[in-house]
Amino acid sequence: MAEKVKIVIDDKEYEVEKGKTVLQAALENGIDIPYFCYHPKLSIAGACRMCVVYWENINRLVISCNTPVQEGMVIRTHHTSEQVRENQKYLLQALMTRHPLDCPICDKAGECDLQNFGAIYGPQRQVVPISALEKEREEYDWESDFLEYYSNRCVVCYRCTRACDEVVGAHALYVENRGFDSNIVPTVRPMDTSTCEMCGICVHVCPVGAIISKPFKFWSRSWLLQRETTRCNLCPVGCEIQLEFGVGDWRSKRKVYRTKPTEELNICAKAFFGYDALNVDRLLKPYAHGREESVGNLVNLLNSILGVHERETAFVLSGYVPNEIIDSVVSIAKATSSYITAPQTTDFFKLAEALGDYRPPTIDEIKEADFYVFVGDDITSTATVLSYYTKGKVYRVGKGVRDEKFEPEDINLEDIERLEGSGVVVVNAASFRGEEAKELGERLKALKDKGHKILLLPKDGNVYGLYERVKELYSDIDEVVQKALKGEINSLVVFGEDITEYYEPETIEQLAERLEHLIVASPYDYGLSVRATVKIPMALIGETEGTYTTLFGEVKGKRFLPWAFDDIVFWKYLEESFAGKEGEIRVLRGGGVPPLKPEIHLYRNSWITKRSENLTKLYEKNREVSEYRI
């Protein structure tokens, strides 16, 4: 049990954990102290001085963010000390002397710490005779289409540079000059093709409007939007993120305006700038043969199509559907004696089978590793937030572009046995297929038996949950596709568009022509669903209460976007329509593999992110870049 000390804050005694700072102790006990530079996920900078308190024992003012608690310490905050209030007012006065009156046009208005603190603690009038025209310091163009920096608004809190260095490890920003002339500057320009990973964390942690997101610029005000927290399912990490959206009233349009991290700072470019994929060409209602249908009518239609045992049916699951839908599909496939497959059966499934009873290590287990070995294609591009928790020595077997930020040491697979300590071997599952995946899995099993943790890393959000539920029931994807191309499968029920990343467009066209029924569950009204005889909406982030099996464990989404179709209820309804029917899931296994491998890129890891205009622009800028240097 942690050692405790007793301190007094504003005449009230508290027992707090030794080693914590005065600011942390105050915040944990509900005592508000203003600050700019402090953030619970970042190192202490002590740059802004706004968190000043009076330490009675030594009769002086100290900054609370960098002062550890001590037994018998007596502290006074602005609540009980006029001296503290005057000092905080002076600091705000100094900041506002050179801060432009941009609030009417600044995107941070309504959630700006300087704006709020000025109203609560600071002077309500300008007390220094400096005109607006004199409030200038050198502007630095970041040369970015996505991030914009206003030097005059900057309070030099160093949050952005610390987040970039300590959380992301991209080292894309630094502070140039000193004092009033300090500016936040990219290490390499243009910013969009630098080591910056466009995670947007610098925008989020900035306490003022010095760093803003250009795609959000001038679109709305924070107080006009609704905000909810949910889980991201764009990769297997399972980060908690915030979505800000409008409902189509006088305040805002009916769309998602932006995404942000929580104070855990777990977010990457796919979520931060990929939010526009939630707004484009959405399929929000079910259709059959080109006509909108009610849920009840469509369930009856699908029951008649899938319930005929003379016809063969296969379900092609996606790595983005929640566990509840997978369970419903397994039940339906059993009742209709159908096949179950997924494109990931050719890579992740083969690796996991060779490892035996596979369970991925959690984020907490990953953080404790002595070293890391990256195997296969770029790990940072596949699951960016995983790289934030990779703080030890990194070795590499394979190739990587964004992984260069770790300065990895290239080794062979055989060299892992000679490494000292307990490590985590991170394998990019999309890099290995078929027999190659099986052979690698067997070699990884030997490392697992020696105490190393093996992290098979898919690129999709719920492959762990998918594998756990169908590992004994699945058919190989290529066997199902070839059987369908021969006309031996009559109906194909395809979830998402994962299959388009493994097969050429010509093959998809041939499938659509040979099938009697192509039933597609998709978030989008174009793409694969254009060829479908029946199309059913599929939920994205903020549209489902489904659970996902991730590196953060079992996480549950939230359904709050007003246009969301409840696909979990739909598939449960269809499952119930087959109640009482008994069959057996058919299984096809073989050695064939699809002709394509999924593309691994920081700004394009799936058919969902491909829909994002923001990410597509970043992808086009960076697709030919093979090396990022500071």
Side-chain angles (χ1 to χ4, degrees):
M1 188 175 178
E3 186 180 348
K4 303 277 189 176
V5 297
K6 290 182 178 180
I7 65 171
V8 175
I9 304 178
D10 293 336
D11 300 319
K12 187 174 179 180
E13 187 176 78
Y14 298 93
E15 192 175 62
V16 298
E17 187 178 317
K18 187 176 182 180
K20 294 202 169 182
T21 65
V22 172
L23 178 60
Q24 289 170 332
L27 296 176
E28 287 174 4
N29 287 282
I31 304 168
D32 64 296
I33 295 177
Y35 55 83
F36 289 111
C37 67
Y38 172 77
H39 192 282
K41 292 284 285 186
L42 304 177
S43 63
I44 301 297
C48 72
R49 328 304 286 180
M50 189 64 193
C51 67
V52 64
V53 294
Y54 181 69
W55 188 355
E56 281 194 355
N57 308 63
I58 62 172
N59 193 29
R60 67 168 52 182
L61 294 167
V62 296
I63 53 172
S64 58
C65 70
N66 203 23
T67 304
V69 294
Q70 297 181 18
E71 182 67 38
M73 174 183 273
V74 179
I75 295 292
R76 292 201 174 276
T77 70
H78 63 279
H79 294 287
T80 59
S81 171
E82 181 63 29
Q83 188 178 4
V84 171
R85 286 195 292 271
E86 287 301 316
N87 272 268
Q88 288 173 338
K89 186 180 292 187
Y90 171 78
L91 286 164
L92 286 167
Q93 176 184 313
L95 289 171
M96 291 185 176
T97 296
R98 291 286 185 173
H99 194 89
L101 186 59
D102 282 351
C103 300
I105 61 166
C106 178
D107 281 329
K108 198 74 173 183
E111 52 187 9
C112 170
D113 288 346
L114 183 60
Q115 189 182 49
N116 295 336
F117 293 161
I120 299 170
Y121 307 105
Q124 297 299 295
R125 58 186 177 83
Q126 182 159 321
V127 293
V128 178
I130 294 178
S131 72
L133 295 176
E134 295 175 279
K135 296 182 179 183
E136 291 292 334
R137 61 181 167 189
E138 187 176 0
E139 291 282 355
Y140 277 79
D141 184 4
W142 283 14
E143 297 179 28
S144 171
D145 291 334
F146 297 89
L147 299 173
E148 188 167 5
Y149 173 66
Y150 291 85
S151 62
N152 280 343
R153 298 177 187 170
C154 182
V155 294
V156 199
C157 66
Y158 306 113
R159 275 190 182 183
C160 55
T161 56
R162 283 179 289 150
C164 195
D165 292 347
E166 299 168 14
V167 177
V168 183
H171 305 289
L173 298 172
Y174 74 100
V175 181
E176 188 166 273
N177 295 326
R178 293 174 66 90
F180 176 74
D181 293 319
S182 296
N183 266 303
I184 308 299
V185 183
T187 53
V188 174
R189 282 179 278 188
M191 188 77 167
D192 297 349
T193 53
S194 71
T195 58
C196 173
E197 296 175 7
M198 290 293 159
C199 63
I201 293 177
C202 60
V203 177
H204 178 71
V205 298
C206 180
V208 292
I211 305 175
I212 65 167
S213 164
K214 279 189 174 180
F216 179 70
K217 186 179 179 181
F218 301 148
W219 267 102
S220 185
R221 291 299 202 177
S222 62
W223 61 85
L224 298 177
L225 302 177
Q226 295 190 33
R227 179 188 302 168
E228 294 284 352
T229 301
T230 187
R231 291 285 180 166
C232 176
N233 68 344
L234 293 176
C235 88
V237 179
C239 304
E240 188 175 43
I241 61 171
Q242 302 178 76
L243 262 66
E244 294 189 358
F245 60 97
V247 297
D249 58 9
W250 64 270
R251 298 177 185 85
S252 53
K253 294 182 179 180
R254 194 168 176 260
K255 58 183 268 188
V256 175
Y257 280 81
R258 61 177 173 179
T259 47
K260 302 193 295 188
T262 64
E263 292 310 293
E264 291 297 312
L265 305 186
N266 291 325
I267 201 168
C268 69
K270 300 176 190 70
F272 191 86
F273 282 116
Y275 63 87
D276 56 334
L278 296 169
N279 299 326
V280 294
D281 294 308
R282 296 298 309 278
L283 176 62
L284 301 175
K285 294 180 180 179
Y287 287 81
H289 304 288
R291 295 184 307 177
E292 183 182 332
E293 287 286 357
S294 67
V295 168
N297 285 345
L298 198 60
V299 165
N300 291 334
L301 175 62
L302 291 177
N303 188 288
S304 65
I305 293 173
L306 306 178
V308 180
H309 284 281
E310 293 76 32
R311 295 173 178 165
E312 291 196 6
T313 299
F315 291 85
V316 182
L317 285 164
S318 166
Y320 295 96
V321 295
N323 293 330
E324 290 83 355
I325 291 180
I326 299 170
D327 291 337
S328 291
V329 169
V330 168
S331 178
I332 296 167
K334 185 176 181 181
T336 58
S337 299
S338 302
Y339 303 98
I340 292 180
T341 188
Q344 293 81 3
T345 59
T346 197
D347 42 47
F348 180 90
F349 279 47
K350 295 296 182 280
L351 285 163
E353 279 182 339
L355 276 170
D357 186 20
Y358 181 70
R359 181 191 69 82
T362 64
I363 285 289
D364 288 335
E365 291 173 326
I366 292 167
K367 288 191 296 185
E368 295 170 359
D370 298 318
F371 63 85
Y372 305 87
V373 182
F374 290 176
V375 181
D377 293 327
D378 211 50
I379 299 298
T380 299
S381 296
T382 305
T384 310
V385 175
L386 174 64
S387 72
Y388 303 171
Y389 293 90
T390 305
K391 299 302 182 184
K393 172 68 177 176
V394 174
Y395 300 90
R396 181 173 61 188
V397 181
K399 59 182 180 179
V401 178
R402 293 289 181 172
D403 289 342
E404 287 294 333
K405 69 180 182 180
F406 297 109
E407 299 181 352
E409 180 180 333
D410 291 318
I411 62 172
N412 296 317
L413 207 58
E414 296 79 10
D415 298 330
I416 300 176
E417 296 182 10
R418 296 191 285 273
L419 299 177
E420 296 182 1
S422 176
V424 174
V425 181
V426 186
V427 182
N428 194 323
S431 303
F432 306 94
R433 306 184 300 163
E435 289 301 318
E436 182 188 22
K438 287 182 182 178
E439 291 173 9
L440 176 61
E442 290 167 1
R443 299 178 72 178
L444 293 171
K445 188 176 186 303
L447 293 172
K448 177 185 174 185
D449 294 340
K450 293 185 177 180
H452 297 303
K453 289 182 171 59
I454 309 298
L455 173 56
L456 302 181
L457 191 68
K459 68 179 187 62
D460 313 304
N462 195 35
V463 175
Y464 296 133
L466 176 61
Y467 176 72
E468 186 62 32
R469 282 160 175 76
V470 304
K471 60 185 176 184
E472 306 292 340
L473 309 169
Y474 78 90
S475 296
D476 286 330
I477 181 65
D478 201 55
E479 297 301 312
V480 170
V481 168
Q482 296 307 320
K483 191 175 177 69
L485 288 172
K486 294 174 185 176
E488 297 173 4
I489 288 178
N490 308 92
S491 301
L492 204 61
V493 184
V494 182
F495 288 80
E497 296 185 10
D498 305 30
I499 193 171
T500 63
E501 299 173 343
Y502 289 77
Y503 288 93
E504 300 282 2
E506 295 78 12
T507 304
I508 304 298
E509 289 285 356
Q510 292 172 22
L511 272 176
E513 291 171 3
R514 296 304 303 270
L515 292 165
E516 287 184 32
H517 301 283
L518 175 59
I519 301 160
V520 174
S522 173
Y524 299 106
D525 202 18
Y526 70 101
L528 192 58
S529 63
V530 171
R531 304 176 179 90
T533 51
V534 175
K535 47 189 180 183
I536 305 151
M538 174 180 159
L540 293 175
I541 301 169
E543 300 172 351
T544 178
E545 294 183 353
T547 55
Y548 299 86
T549 307
T550 71
L551 297 181
F552 279 114
E554 292 277 334
V555 300
K556 189 174 180 64
K558 285 177 66 177
R559 181 171 173 263
F560 49 79
L561 293 177
W563 54 82
F565 177 84
D566 198 337
D567 56 346
I568 293 178
V569 168
F570 175 85
W571 290 102
K572 188 66 178 175
Y573 189 9
L574 182 59
E575 176 192 353
E576 291 169 354
S577 75
F578 287 101
K581 294 185 179 181
E582 288 295 331
E584 188 173 336
I585 294 176
R586 305 182 189 188
V587 175
L588 281 172
R589 297 289 175 91
V593 295
L596 302 180
K597 277 186 179 182
E599 183 177 19
I600 302 297
H601 195 279
L602 181 67
Y603 303 125
R604 178 170 291 177
N605 77 324
S606 73
W607 50 273
I608 298 175
T609 54
K610 190 176 182 180
R611 257 71 179 207
S612 166
E613 184 179 340
N614 293 333
L615 293 178
T616 297
K617 287 180 181 177
L618 284 166
Y619 172 77
E620 293 297 335
K621 285 187 174 191
N622 287 270
R623 66 186 304 180
E624 301 299 330
V625 180
S626 59
E627 185 178 40
Y628 295 91
R629 293 290 183 186
I630 296 175

